[in-house]
């Protein structure tokens, strides 16, 4: 007869095919974790990397090196499915126009599961004007 020791195993659930939705465009992209070709800007499998792989424009004036705030997004759902924010990103994102509690830099936030992010209006206008 098995003995119940009260020990529970805990396993991290990793979404092998995360979905990233960019609002307000409401465009969703799926990719297989570990198989997204790295585009050389930002961290591999970051929001910026996902956007670049699928031809979705997310501004990144510094080339994704965490030196500006043009890839600023606001996480609407799934914040726990992004990598933790490191000090460099925190220092930089706090300088972003319209900084909010759930603001992240697309070049630094690595996708680990389903997430919805909104591109702030000031950045959408910046992109649409072709700057």
């Amino acid at each position: 007869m098995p003995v119940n020791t009260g020990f529970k195993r805990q396993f991290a659930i990793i979404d092998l095919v995360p979905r990233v939705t960019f609002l307000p465009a409401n465009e969703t992209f799926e990719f297989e974790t570990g198989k997204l070709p790295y585009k050389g800007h930002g961290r591999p499998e970051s929001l910026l990397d996902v956007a670049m792989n699928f031809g979705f424009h997310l501004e990144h004036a510094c080339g994704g090196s965490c030196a500006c705030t043009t890839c600023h997004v606001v996480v609407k759902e799934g914040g726990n499915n992004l990598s933790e924010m490191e000090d460099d990103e925190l220092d930089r994102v706090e300088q972003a126009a319209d900084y909010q509690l759930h603001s992240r830099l697309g070049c630094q936030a690595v996708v680990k599961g389903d997430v919805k992010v909104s591109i702030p209006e000031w950045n959408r206008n910046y992109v649409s004007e072709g700057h």
Side-chain angles (χ1 to χ4, degrees):
M1 182 179 238
V3 176
N4 183 353
T5 63
F7 176 76
K8 291 183 181 179
R9 293 184 185 195
Q10 294 183 7
F11 298 95
I13 298 173
I14 298 174
D15 192 347
L16 297 177
V17 183
R19 288 183 305 270
V20 178
T21 302
F22 292 97
L23 302 172
N26 203 30
E27 291 196 42
T28 302
F29 307 103
E30 294 182 349
F31 68 96
E32 193 171 344
T33 300
K35 296 193 176 181
L36 192 68
Y38 180 51
K39 295 294 184 184
H41 291 273
R43 293 182 169 187
E45 297 190 354
S46 65
L47 292 167
L48 176 59
D49 193 33
V50 171
M52 291 182 72
N53 266 280
F54 290 96
F56 183 85
H57 186 79
L58 179 59
E59 187 61 41
H60 53 285
C62 72
S65 63
C66 195
C68 72
T69 61
T70 56
C71 65
H72 171 227
V73 298
V74 178
V75 180
K76 297 299 185 181
E77 293 179 21
N80 58 326
N81 291 328
L82 294 173
S83 60
E84 288 190 36
M85 191 179 311
E86 294 183 5
D87 290 342
D88 288 344
E89 179 185 0
L90 181 59
D91 290 345
R92 183 63 57 193
V93 77
E94 287 178 335
Q95 298 173 18
D98 195 29
Y99 170 76
Q100 298 176 29
L101 180 60
H102 299 289
S103 289
R104 293 294 304 264
L105 295 181
C107 66
Q108 300 299 300
V110 177
V111 178
K112 300 182 179 295
D114 293 356
V115 63
K116 285 186 181 180
V117 297
S118 179
I119 300 173
E121 187 174 341
W122 68 269
N123 201 9
R124 290 193 309 266
N125 289 340
Y126 182 79
V127 171
S128 68
E129 292 170 7
H131 294 280

